[in-house]
Every structure is written in C-alpha cells, then in structure tokens.
C-alpha cells in the first residue's frame, strides 16, 4: 500500500461514481498499513475513509484459508499501478496480478507502459488508462453487470495462471537442462 506504486485516487473516484447509483460496492485494499510509522498511510486513511472501504492489512500467508475464502468471494481485482519512470506498472511479474489470476479473478488494471504480450485486454484482464477515472468506472461497471464478460475473464485468468505456475516453470527448466546436456 504505497501511493507511489498505486493510484488509489482514480479508483476511489470510479467506485464513488458507481456507489452513487446503489451503494452496494465494497472495496478491500490488501497490503501493509503502518499509520504510526508511515505518513503516506496516514494520508491514505484520511483520503479513503468511506464506510465501504476496508484496509485489510498485510497478508503474510497466502495459504491462510480465510484469505483464500475472501479472494474466492471477490468479484474482481483492481490493480491501479502507476506507470512512471522506475516502475514497471502492470506486468505479469507482479505478485498481486499472479494471485488474482491464480484465483480466477477478473482483473482491471492500468495499461502497461511497455508491450506485455501476456496481458490480453478482454481475455485475462481489462486494461484502462491509469489516470482516467471514467475508464475505470466503465470497466468496473462492465464486470459488475456482464456475467459473460466476468466468466470470460475468470477463464482467461486461470489460463494465464497456468502459464506462470510451478508446473510450467518446472517443465521449462527441465527443457533447458535437457537442451544444455545434449
């Protein structure tokens, strides 16, 4: 949970717009929070103080059954990565994206700066302009209201997860070792 890494403001604007219609959306922000030691966290907690926002704190154990239950019950994962110098923005190497894919979650993420062939807009994610709250709102509303799109993105997430899973990595390492030994 770092403002330099994530653009929370644009997602907050988008969700505020959507929640204005019926107030039924909850936003869980997962990550470490240290308001006593981090002035960015204090500011973030002040800016995002709506009753429909929950800061869950750090999750140290992805095998935690309660955390897995919460993830499985989510409608979508929102990844508003900042695309700036020194940051790779949205990329398949991001652990939060890998977790979303592993749980088959539809993903809405900032469009990456560089071409990322593993991010397929409309297949395993919806990519939006990092700074455009209207684009975030439209993408989130599509996921909320279009069951077929949600299912397509869920299936695409699981396919993407298999490409980066341990089984495929083990196969690739075996192939490389066999190539070297020949």
């Amino acid at each position: 949970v770092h403002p330099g890494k994530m653009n929370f403001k644009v997602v907050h604007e988008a969700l505020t717009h959507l929640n204005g219609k019926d107030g039924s959306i909850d936003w869980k922000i997962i990550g470490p929070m240290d308001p006593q030691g981090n002035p960015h966290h204090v500011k973030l907690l002040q800016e995002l103080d709506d009753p429909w926002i929950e800061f869950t704190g750090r999750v140290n154990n992805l095998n935690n059954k309660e955390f897995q239950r919460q993830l499985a019950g989510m409608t979508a994962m929102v990844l508003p990565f900042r695309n700036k110098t020194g940051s790779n923005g949205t990329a398949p190497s991001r652990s939060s994206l890998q977790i979303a894919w592993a749980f088959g979650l539809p993903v809405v993420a900032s469009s990456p700066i560089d071409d990322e062939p593993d991010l397929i807009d409309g297949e395993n994610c919806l990519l939006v302009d990092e700074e455009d709250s209207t684009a975030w709102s439209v993408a989130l509303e599509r996921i909320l209201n279009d069951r077929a799109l949600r299912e397509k993105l869920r299936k695409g997430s699981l396919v993407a997860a298999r490409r980066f899973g341990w089984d495929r990595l083990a196969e690739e390492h075996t192939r490389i070792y066999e190539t070297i030994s020949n």
Side-chain angles (χ1 to χ4, degrees):
V1 179
H2 191 282
K5 179 177 157 184
M6 303 290 267
N7 188 349
F8 293 104
K9 181 179 178 185
V10 71
V11 173
H12 183 252
E13 289 174 16
L15 289 173
T16 298
H17 171 75
L18 292 174
N19 257 336
K21 293 181 178 179
D22 65 12
S24 64
I25 299 170
D26 292 324
W27 184 19
K28 292 184 182 199
I29 301 174
I30 302 168
M33 285 301 289
D34 179 19
Q36 284 72 37
N38 188 326
H40 293 296
H41 291 176
V42 172
K43 185 177 179 188
L44 196 59
L45 287 168
Q46 290 169 345
E47 291 173 355
L48 305 177
D49 66 346
D50 300 277
W52 45 271
I53 300 174
E54 176 187 351
F55 287 87
T56 66
R58 178 187 299 273
V59 175
N60 292 323
N61 181 358
L62 296 179
N63 292 321
N64 177 294
K65 296 297 182 198
E66 176 59 22
F67 178 64
Q68 290 178 3
R69 187 190 63 71
Q70 286 182 3
L71 278 176
M74 290 182 182
T75 303
M77 179 78 76
V78 181
L79 300 172
F81 289 112
R82 291 197 180 275
N83 291 323
K84 61 180 183 159
T85 306
S87 170
N88 61 349
T90 303
S93 60
R94 294 279 193 180
S95 59
S96 49
L97 178 60
Q98 291 291 321
I99 291 167
W101 281 347
F103 278 84
L105 291 173
V107 174
V108 181
S110 305
S111 295
I113 297 171
D114 298 321
D115 182 44
E116 291 285 354
D118 292 309
L119 294 173
I120 305 169
D121 189 31
E123 293 291 325
N124 60 21
C125 62
L126 294 180
L127 297 173
V128 296
D129 180 334
E130 171 204 339
E131 296 292 335
D132 186 348
S133 65
T134 301
W136 285 93
S137 183
V138 167
L140 290 166
E141 192 165 38
R142 285 180 62 204
I143 286 176
L144 291 170
N145 295 326
D146 187 340
R147 179 186 287 275
L149 174 63
R150 266 194 323 273
E151 289 309 309
K152 180 179 182 180
L153 292 172
R154 285 184 193 283
K155 289 177 184 174
S157 287
L158 293 170
V159 168
R162 283 191 291 277
R163 278 200 310 271
F164 293 95
W166 288 112
D167 290 342
R168 199 205 59 74
L169 290 174
E171 289 172 11
E172 189 64 21
H173 279 87
T174 301
R175 186 191 63 75
I176 290 169
Y177 292 141
E178 288 172 352
T179 302
I180 293 171
S181 67
N182 289 333

